[in-house]
């Protein structure tokens, strides 16, 4: 055995590979009264009406655009998915007790996560039907195609949160 090959008796710590970021591990902001494992960019309550779709889309576009310095053209997927998530909440779920849905945007690792919290599915009807209608299927197809991850959580207070995440694109400057 050569001297360089001999063990010096000093342990060497080799860092474990970092796990891939998971949007599922982030705690919904609605679960912990606005406290999340990600950085909350902003949160807004919107009346659970069709007008909420336009307002929510604009809110997320402005918020994320200012935070990351992203141009409107770079935020098209984020806007589209936000519209689909709010539309689903308004059409297929009950509003929260105060008649609103809550829209939250978070920065988690290399992702923007958008959450829409409502009062849960309509009585006797699942939030996501097993055989979705043509319009509802369009939203799910878009989520699967454009979102890095998405899912639904039933919160302790009886509300439901639908969330999706999109990757931060190259060129977006991180604060």
């Amino acid at each position: 055995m050569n001297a360089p090959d001999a063990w010096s008796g000093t342990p060497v710590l080799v860092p474990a590979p970092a796990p891939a970021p998971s949007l599922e591990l982030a705690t919904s902001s609605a679960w912990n009264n606005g406290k999340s494992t990600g950085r909350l960019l902003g949160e807004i309550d919107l009346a659970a009406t069709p007008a909420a779709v336009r307002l929510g889309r604009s809110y997320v576009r402005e918020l994320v655009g200012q935070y990351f310095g992203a141009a409107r053209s770079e935020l098209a997927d984020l806007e589209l998915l936000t519209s689909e998530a709010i539309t689903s909440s308004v059409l297929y779920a009950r509003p929260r007790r105060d008649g609103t849905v809550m829209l939250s945007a978070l920065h988690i690792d290399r992702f923007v996560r958008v959450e829409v919290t409502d009062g849960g599915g309509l009585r006797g009807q699942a939030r996501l039907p097993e055989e979705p209608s043509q319009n509802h299927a369009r939203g799910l197809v878009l989520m699967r195609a454009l979102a890095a991850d998405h899912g639904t959580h039933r919160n302790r207070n009886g509300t439901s949160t639908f969330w999706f995440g999109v990757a931060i694109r190259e060129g977006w400057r991180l604060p």
Side-chain angles (χ1 to χ4, degrees), residues 36-76:
S36 176
T37 58
R39 180 175 178 187
L40 181 65
L41 303 178
E43 194 168 78
I44 188 171
D45 289 333
L46 301 165
T49 65
V53 177
R54 181 183 53 79
L55 294 170
R57 182 178 57 237
S58 297
Y59 178 76
V60 168
R61 178 185 62 237
E62 294 299 319
L63 187 68
V64 174
Q66 288 176 7
Y67 186 79
F68 290 104
R72 183 175 183 167
S73 62
E74 296 174 303
L75 300 171

Side-chain angles (χ1 to χ4, degrees), residues 69-92:
R72 183 175 183 167
S73 62
E74 296 174 303
L75 300 171
D77 290 351
L78 185 64
E79 284 186 75
L80 176 61
L81 295 178
T82 299
S83 293
E84 292 296 330
I86 296 172
T87 298
S88 178
S89 241
V90 169
L91 294 180
Y92 301 109

